Amino acid sequence: MTVIAVLGLGEAGGAIARDLVAAGAVVRGHDPAVAASGGIVQAGSEADAAAGADLVLSVNSAHDAVAALRAGAGAARDAVWADLNTGSPGLKRELDALARRVGVRFADVAIMAPVPGRGLRTPMLACAEGAGDVAALLTPLGAGIEVLDAEAGAAAGRKLLRSVFFKGLAGSVVEALEAARAAGCEDWLRENIVAELAAAGEHTVDRLVAGTYRHAARRAAEMEAAAAMLEELDVPPAMAAASRDLLRRLSGRPPAGGSGAAPIRAR
């Protein structure tokens, strides 16, 4: 039977660990703040969980990732150490180097969607020396893992690049609706946002990028006014001010490599 150590039994780690148990794996879990349950075998330490395991899943936090590896890697000589924490590419490369020093194969694994409701079926990207082994061990148990032929840090980097877009978009929507609520027109703006998102197509990104560079100076002034309005509404203009500052920086600069886009109508 496949033996898997799960370090961190919080929302993500706990859900993945329970799905692994349900799929037939022996799961040993360690979390100083959360007791093992649902068929997970309680381990007293990282080393206790990792000893004799085929795979170690570190799902604690980026802050604890290095300490966890140092505490458990010595007992995981025959295992693959997979770090699933949301950390920077630099952190993943540091973990890979630490694992190599003690002769442990390492995998940088990025969780690409919220885990609640998906558990082990959450889409993941994996790279580095142990990525293929992680996929070989977890795919038969129900996981969906895309393996990148790249060094540690590549999977983390792709996740965070997506986060820049998606979390930035979410932040702008939240800020805009908060301001619209203060201005008494939240329903109107919500409908407008929904319509814009629903109408997005394959050319939307090209249109947004080309228009942003072409009209950066004018739009910077527009976002200056927007930030001032939010302050008048007592809504901190975090996203509006950041957009203003970005547009000021881009003003007068062509996109890298040229625009490559057809002229578009200003919006």
Side-chain angles (χ1 to χ4, degrees), residues 13-248:
I16 291 171
R18 288 188 291 274
D19 281 355
L20 289 169
V21 170
V26 174
V27 179
R28 297 203 292 263
H30 173 68
D31 189 319
V34 181
S37 62
I40 303 167
V41 179
Q42 182 76 57
S45 66
E46 290 90 349
D48 184 27
D54 300 297
L55 175 64
V56 178
L57 302 180
S58 180
V59 204
N60 28 53
S61 71
H63 178 269
D64 297 320
V66 171
L69 191 148
R70 285 176 171 160
R77 296 298 177 88
D78 297 323
V80 178
W81 191 284
D83 188 88
L84 279 65
N85 298 299
T86 300
S88 71
L91 173 62
K92 300 290 183 153
R93 289 191 290 269
E94 178 185 356
L95 292 168
D96 184 41
L98 289 171
R100 288 175 183 272
R101 287 175 199 159
V102 294
V104 173
R105 288 167 295 157
F106 178 81
D108 165 17
V109 180
I111 300 174
M112 300 301 291
V115 173
R118 295 181 178 91
L120 185 60
R121 297 182 302 279
T122 308
M124 302 181 198
L125 289 178
C127 64
E129 180 185 5
D133 293 317
V134 173
L137 288 165
L138 292 185
T139 299
L141 299 174
I145 300 177
E146 178 185 351
V147 175
L148 303 176
D149 183 14
E151 296 181 353
R158 292 194 182 195
K159 176 187 173 89
L160 293 175
L161 287 170
R162 184 177 182 275
S163 295
V164 172
F165 152 65
F166 203 82
K167 302 306 190 292
L169 173 64
S172 293
V173 169
V174 168
E175 181 171 293
L177 289 176
E178 184 180 359
R181 189 178 312 122
C185 56
E186 181 180 4
D187 290 344
W188 171 82
L189 183 60
R190 182 181 292 273
E191 291 175 2
N192 190 275
I193 291 170
V194 169
E196 289 287 346
L197 293 177
E202 62 178 306
H203 300 299
T204 298
V205 172
D206 289 339
R207 175 175 61 80
L208 292 175
V209 171
T212 295
Y213 278 98
R214 185 172 297 124
H215 306 293
R218 177 178 61 78
R219 292 183 181 183
E222 181 178 335
M223 293 312 297
E224 173 68 26
M229 180 190 69
L230 264 63
E231 289 177 343
E232 293 169 1
L233 293 169
D234 291 326
V235 175
M239 304 304 293
S243 295
R244 174 202 63 203
D245 293 344
L246 174 65
L247 288 161
R248 284 176 175 171

